[in-house]
Structures are given as C-alpha cells and as structure tokens.
Amino acid sequence: MLTAERLLAGERYVVFQGDGGEGKTTLAAELARWLVFTRRFRRGAFARLDQDGDARKVLYAIGEQLVPGYLSARAESGPCRQLVERALAEQATVIVLDNMESVLAPAPGSEAHLAFEPETLKGIMGLCQALAKHGETRLIFTSREPLPEPFSRNLVKVDRLDRPDAIRLVGRVLGEGKLMPDAADPGESEQEIEKLVDAVGCHAAAWSCWRVRWSLPACAAPRRSSRS
Ligand SMILES: Nc1ncnc2c1ncn2[C@@H]1O[C@H](COP(=O)(O)OP(=O)(O)O)[C@@H](O)[C@H]1O
Ligand SMILES: [Mg+2]
C-alpha cells in the first residue's frame, strides 16, 4: 500500500496486478479509504468492470457516487460526462476501477474473455484518460493482467502472503474465532496451522473460502467435524 501511495504522489494512476484472490480489490479499496481518511483526497468512487463493462456504465457508476441527483440529470440529457468532470475538478477524487481484466484482450491461448470487444476497451481507456486529467483525480486499477497504453506502467504486484505472515494471520483468526482453541499459542498448534497454510499456499482468499464452506461468520464456534 505504501508503494502505491508513494507512486500516486507523482503519478495519475497505479495498477494493482495479481492473480484472483490475492487481495487486489481489498488493497485498492483500503488505499482509497486511507487517502480520504488522511485528507489527501476528498472523495472516493468505485466501479467494477466485470459489471460496469463499458465506458457508459463506468461513467454512470462514478456519476451516481459523485454527483447528487445524477440519476435524474442523466435521464434528462444522457450520460452527463460534464457533471462528472466538474465534480472531479472541484474535489480531489480517487477512483477505483476494479477487475480490469474483464475488458482486456484474451491472453494468447486463453479461452476466457470471449466477449472481448476492442472498441469497448478503447472507450474505457479513453474515458479513464479523460477523467484522470481533471483536478487532482487519481485512478487505482486492479487487474489480473497488465493494462495496455496509456496505463501500462505503475504496476504494483500483489502476491500471496509470505509464509510467516500467513501463519500469524491464520493462527490469530482461528484462535480468536475459537475454531482452534489453542491456536493463539504457537507452541501448541504450530504444526496444525502450518499444515493449513501450506495446503492453500498462503492464498488470501483461502480463509474466506473455508469460512463460507463451513457457513461460519468471522468469529463463530465451529462444527466439530469441520476441524480436520
Ligand atoms: N491482507 C489480507 N489479509 C487477510 N485476508 C485478506 C487480505 N487481502 C485480502 N484478503 C481476503 O482475501 C479474499 C480475496 O481478496 P480480494 O481482494 O477479493 O482478492 P482479488 O481482488 O485479488 O481477487 C477476500 O475475502 C479478502 O477479504
Ligand atoms: Mg478483486
């Protein structure tokens, strides 16, 4: 987060790049919150390209968050790009554009992204470029793949947790949630925790998956059979 924060002091955008479930969206949202909390930016907005998958929808998503009455203004006169641009010029804003891989050209040999349209990507890139010019606007992209020009630089790789961090995190969560009562005591349960961490390769999403599979809230007692 610090690397990205420093980059944004001099650059208009940053790209969090990594595989699915590594923590890109979490980090991007956290960085935006932090920049607003520390008063370097007044506003934050968020658009996800897997849902808002063309320039118009991205503009709508951002407009709804930044411009009071945007919905009715939009109904009267179309996308109202000027309203969004004015809002950006008036108040320093950080915009998160999540899941950019949804609109990128497929990687060679990949069967994904079958719906890819070059014009769609061009429209989104053009919109991002235009929005980034207004006021103090900064863009935080997340993507599994690098972005094309003009956003091909400023990559910050998001990778798996390192093993000691993952062991500490899993131990703490299991201990706090009473899922493994001795987990807070590393001496008692170190091996069991290490086995869990290694089984999922330090993957940030893994803990959430276990929780969902067990239908457990973050800090609930486990069903006995789930322990193994
Ligand atoms: N640093 C972290 N520590 C613990 N859990 C994390 C961390 N970063 C992300 N997570 C969790 O991992 C899951 C996947 O994160 P997400 O940001 O959605 O990944 P991505 O956007 O790369 O697919 C989420 O449930 C999130 O809460
Ligand atoms: Mg994500």
Side-chain angles (χ1 to χ4, degrees):
M1 197 163 105
L2 186 59
T3 306
E5 188 181 352
R6 284 181 176 158
L7 264 173
L8 286 180
E11 299 279 348
R12 284 279 174 177
Y13 72 94
V14 69
V15 183
F16 285 127
Q17 192 210 336
D19 288 341
E22 306 283 40
K24 301 179 297 296
T25 303
T26 306
L27 195 53
E30 190 59 28
L31 176 57
R33 263 194 296 270
W34 172 248
L35 292 172
V36 173
F37 177 76
T38 53
R39 297 178 188 270
R40 273 164 291 170
F41 290 81
R42 290 288 300 278
R43 312 283 308 269
F46 188 95
R48 39 185 300 187
L49 278 293
D50 54 321
Q51 281 183 359
D52 308 318
D54 65 47
R56 255 167 63 107
K57 288 184 190 161
V58 171
L59 187 64
Y60 285 174
I62 295 171
E64 282 171 23
Q65 293 165 66
L66 297 182
V67 181
Y70 185 79
L71 273 179
S72 43
R74 181 192 108 182
E76 282 163 25
S77 52
C80 296
R81 183 149 146 183
Q82 294 86 344
L83 289 178
V84 175
E85 291 176 348
R86 196 183 312 151
L88 295 176
E90 284 170 0
Q91 297 197 316
T93 302
V94 54
I95 302 174
V96 176
L97 295 139
D98 195 27
N99 293 334
M100 287 296 290
E101 71 278 352
S102 312
V103 294
L104 297 183
S110 155
E111 289 179 16
H113 312 288
L114 288 177
F116 170 72
E117 295 286 346
E119 285 308 310
T120 305
L121 177 61
K122 220 168 125 188
I124 291 169
M125 293 282 120
L127 174 68
C128 291
Q129 213 175 356
L131 297 183
K133 284 189 185 140
H134 290 273
E136 290 301 311
T137 306
R138 296 290 188 277
L139 307 179
I140 304 174
F141 295 101
T142 81
S143 181
R144 294 185 189 192
E145 312 295 337
L147 302 189
E149 288 294 341
F151 298 107
S152 58
R153 296 176 303 112
N154 305 344
L155 282 182
V156 177
K157 293 271 188 185
V158 179
D159 217 329
R160 300 186 167 209
L161 300 173
D162 65 29
R163 197 164 178 271
D165 271 356
I167 290 170
R168 262 200 305 276
L169 174 69
V170 171
R172 202 184 63 210
V173 173
L174 290 178
E176 284 171 0
K178 302 196 180 5
L179 290 163
M180 191 186 283
D182 299 328
D185 176 352
E188 290 277 331
S189 52
E190 207 169 273
Q191 281 186 338
E192 255 184 288
I193 293 171
E194 285 181 10
K195 264 195 275 175
L196 281 175
V197 167
D198 290 338
V200 297
C202 306
H203 196 248
W207 171 240
S208 315
C209 295
W210 297 337
R211 222 162 53 206
V212 169
R213 204 176 65 210
W214 293 346
S215 308
L216 292 171
C219 287
R223 293 178 213 132
R224 279 193 171 277
S225 59
S226 302
R227 274 271 191 102
S228 60

